Amino acid sequence: MDPLYQAGSIFMKVNTLQGKNMVESGLQSGDFSLPPSWRPCLPPPADVEMLQQKVAGLQRELEDFKKEALQAIHSLEDAFCEMNEALAQQEEQAARVKQRLREEEDRGIVRNKVLTFLLPREKQLREHCQQLEGLLLGRGREALGIPKKFQAN
Protein backbone atom coordinates (compact mmCIF):
# COMPACT_ATOMS: atom_id res chain seq x y z
CA MET A 1 0.00 0.00 0.00
CA ASP A 2 1.41 3.36 -0.99
CA PRO A 3 1.51 6.02 1.69
CA LEU A 4 -0.90 8.89 1.19
CA TYR A 5 1.98 11.33 1.17
CA GLN A 6 5.71 11.14 1.63
CA ALA A 7 7.81 13.42 3.67
CA GLY A 8 11.49 13.58 4.34
CA SER A 9 12.98 14.29 7.70
CA ILE A 10 11.32 17.40 9.01
CA PHE A 11 12.34 18.93 12.28
CA MET A 12 9.47 20.69 13.94
CA LYS A 13 8.96 22.26 17.29
CA VAL A 14 5.67 20.91 18.67
CA ASN A 15 3.69 22.45 21.45
CA THR A 16 2.32 19.34 23.09
CA LEU A 17 0.03 21.23 25.44
CA GLN A 18 -1.60 22.99 22.50
CA GLY A 19 -1.93 19.67 20.65
CA LYS A 20 -3.44 18.04 23.71
CA ASN A 21 -5.93 20.88 24.09
CA MET A 22 -6.83 20.60 20.40
CA VAL A 23 -7.43 16.87 20.69
CA GLU A 24 -9.47 17.23 23.87
CA SER A 25 -11.59 20.05 22.49
CA GLY A 26 -11.98 18.16 19.21
CA LEU A 27 -13.06 15.02 21.04
CA GLN A 28 -15.57 16.96 23.09
CA SER A 29 -17.00 18.96 20.23
CA GLY A 30 -16.67 16.27 17.58
CA ASP A 31 -14.69 18.70 15.40
CA PHE A 32 -11.49 17.14 14.12
CA SER A 33 -10.57 19.93 11.68
CA LEU A 34 -6.99 21.08 11.55
CA PRO A 35 -5.75 24.66 11.55
CA PRO A 36 -5.09 26.19 8.13
CA SER A 37 -1.30 26.14 8.64
CA TRP A 38 -1.39 22.34 8.56
CA ARG A 39 -3.26 22.11 5.25
CA PRO A 40 -0.17 21.47 3.09
CA CYS A 41 0.58 18.35 5.13
CA LEU A 42 -2.86 16.84 4.54
CA PRO A 43 -3.59 14.10 2.04
CA PRO A 44 -5.84 14.85 -0.97
CA PRO A 45 -9.53 15.66 -0.23
CA ALA A 46 -10.80 12.37 -1.68
CA ASP A 47 -8.66 10.44 0.78
CA VAL A 48 -9.78 12.69 3.65
CA GLU A 49 -13.42 12.07 2.80
CA MET A 50 -12.80 8.34 2.71
CA LEU A 51 -11.09 8.55 6.08
CA GLN A 52 -13.97 10.60 7.49
CA GLN A 53 -16.43 7.95 6.30
CA LYS A 54 -14.32 5.27 7.96
CA VAL A 55 -14.19 7.29 11.17
CA ALA A 56 -17.98 7.80 11.06
CA GLY A 57 -18.44 4.05 10.55
CA LEU A 58 -16.13 3.30 13.45
CA GLN A 59 -18.03 5.75 15.63
CA ARG A 60 -21.32 3.99 14.79
CA GLU A 61 -19.74 0.63 15.55
CA LEU A 62 -18.43 2.03 18.83
CA GLU A 63 -21.90 3.26 19.80
CA ASP A 64 -23.39 -0.13 18.88
CA PHE A 65 -20.69 -1.84 20.92
CA LYS A 66 -21.41 0.43 23.88
CA LYS A 67 -25.13 -0.44 23.70
CA GLU A 68 -24.41 -4.16 23.47
CA ALA A 69 -21.89 -3.96 26.32
CA LEU A 70 -24.43 -2.14 28.52
CA GLN A 71 -27.09 -4.74 27.69
CA ALA A 72 -24.64 -7.52 28.56
CA ILE A 73 -23.74 -5.79 31.82
CA HIS A 74 -27.43 -5.42 32.73
CA SER A 75 -28.02 -9.08 31.91
CA LEU A 76 -25.09 -10.08 34.09
CA GLU A 77 -26.35 -7.89 36.93
CA ASP A 78 -29.81 -9.49 36.69
CA ALA A 79 -28.31 -12.97 36.63
CA PHE A 80 -26.10 -12.10 39.60
CA CYS A 81 -29.11 -10.86 41.58
CA GLU A 82 -31.05 -14.03 40.76
CA MET A 83 -28.09 -16.16 41.80
CA ASN A 84 -27.79 -14.25 45.07
CA GLU A 85 -31.49 -14.78 45.77
CA ALA A 86 -31.21 -18.49 45.00
CA LEU A 87 -28.12 -18.75 47.19
CA ALA A 88 -29.88 -17.00 50.06
CA GLN A 89 -32.82 -19.40 49.73
CA GLN A 90 -30.47 -22.39 49.68
CA GLU A 91 -28.66 -21.12 52.78
CA GLU A 92 -32.00 -20.59 54.52
CA GLN A 93 -33.12 -24.08 53.60
CA ALA A 94 -29.80 -25.57 54.75
CA ALA A 95 -30.15 -23.77 58.09
CA ARG A 96 -33.67 -25.18 58.53
CA VAL A 97 -32.46 -28.69 57.70
CA LYS A 98 -29.58 -28.37 60.18
CA GLN A 99 -32.02 -27.18 62.85
CA ARG A 100 -34.33 -30.14 62.17
CA LEU A 101 -31.36 -32.51 62.33
CA ARG A 102 -30.30 -31.04 65.67
CA GLU A 103 -33.83 -31.40 67.00
CA GLU A 104 -34.01 -34.97 65.75
CA GLU A 105 -30.63 -35.75 67.33
CA ASP A 106 -31.86 -34.25 70.60
CA ARG A 107 -35.00 -36.41 70.43
CA GLY A 108 -32.84 -39.44 69.67
CA ILE A 109 -30.65 -38.73 72.68
CA VAL A 110 -33.72 -38.39 74.88
CA ARG A 111 -35.16 -41.63 73.45
CA ASN A 112 -31.89 -43.43 74.16
CA LYS A 113 -31.88 -42.17 77.75
CA VAL A 114 -35.48 -43.26 78.24
CA LEU A 115 -34.77 -46.67 76.72
CA THR A 116 -31.68 -47.19 78.83
CA PHE A 117 -33.82 -46.44 81.87
CA LEU A 118 -36.90 -48.46 80.83
CA LEU A 119 -35.26 -51.63 79.50
CA PRO A 120 -33.75 -52.69 82.85
CA ARG A 121 -37.03 -51.75 84.56
CA GLU A 122 -38.91 -53.91 82.06
CA LYS A 123 -36.58 -56.82 82.79
CA GLN A 124 -37.14 -56.38 86.54
CA LEU A 125 -40.92 -56.23 86.05
CA ARG A 126 -40.92 -59.40 83.89
CA GLU A 127 -38.93 -61.25 86.54
CA HIS A 128 -41.26 -60.00 89.26
CA CYS A 129 -44.33 -61.01 87.21
CA GLN A 130 -42.86 -64.51 86.71
CA GLN A 131 -42.32 -64.81 90.43
CA LEU A 132 -45.88 -63.72 91.12
CA GLU A 133 -47.22 -66.14 88.49
CA GLY A 134 -45.19 -68.92 90.01
CA LEU A 135 -46.58 -68.13 93.43
CA LEU A 136 -50.11 -67.88 92.12
CA LEU A 137 -50.14 -71.01 89.97
CA GLY A 138 -48.13 -73.49 91.85
CA ARG A 139 -46.07 -73.11 94.86
CA GLY A 140 -48.21 -70.41 96.29
CA ARG A 141 -51.24 -72.75 96.64
CA GLU A 142 -49.28 -75.25 98.59
CA ALA A 143 -47.96 -72.55 100.84
CA LEU A 144 -51.49 -71.33 101.45
CA GLY A 145 -52.77 -74.89 102.06
CA ILE A 146 -54.89 -75.06 98.90
CA PRO A 147 -54.74 -78.35 97.01
CA LYS A 148 -53.42 -78.24 93.46
CA LYS A 149 -56.60 -79.58 91.92
CA PHE A 150 -60.11 -79.17 93.14
CA GLN A 151 -62.08 -82.34 93.18
CA ALA A 152 -65.73 -82.29 92.61
CA ASN A 153 -67.90 -84.00 95.26
Side-chain angles (χ1 to χ4, degrees), residues 136-137 141-142 144-153:
L136 183 65
L137 294 177
R141 288 184 181 175
E142 291 172 0
L144 294 173
I146 303 173
K148 284 187 179 182
K149 292 185 180 179
F150 288 106
Q151 295 180 356
N153 288 342

Side-chain angles (χ1 to χ4, degrees), residues 4-66:
L4 297 177
Y5 61 96
Q6 294 197 3
S9 296
I10 300 174
F11 294 102
M12 297 176 57
K13 183 176 181 182
V14 178
N15 184 346
T16 54
L17 182 61
Q18 181 184 4
K20 181 181 174 193
N21 289 339
M22 277 181 43
V23 169
E24 286 176 352
S25 65
L27 287 175
Q28 290 171 358
S29 68
D31 178 27
F32 293 104
S33 59
L34 296 173
S37 62
W38 289 21
R39 298 259 183 241
C41 299
L42 293 178
D47 291 338
V48 170
E49 187 172 326
M50 186 174 71
L51 287 173
Q52 286 175 337
Q53 289 174 357
K54 286 182 180 181
V55 167
L58 286 173
Q59 286 176 337
R60 282 191 299 273
E61 287 179 22
L62 180 63
E63 288 301 317
D64 292 343
F65 175 76
K66 284 181 185 178

Side-chain angles (χ1 to χ4, degrees), residues 97-114:
V97 167
K98 284 181 183 177
Q99 179 64 30
R100 277 188 267 154
L101 283 173
R102 268 189 246 114
E103 291 169 0
E104 200 58 39
E105 286 174 355
D106 291 346
R107 278 189 229 119
I109 291 170
V110 169
R111 280 189 204 114
N112 286 340
K113 286 181 179 179
V114 168

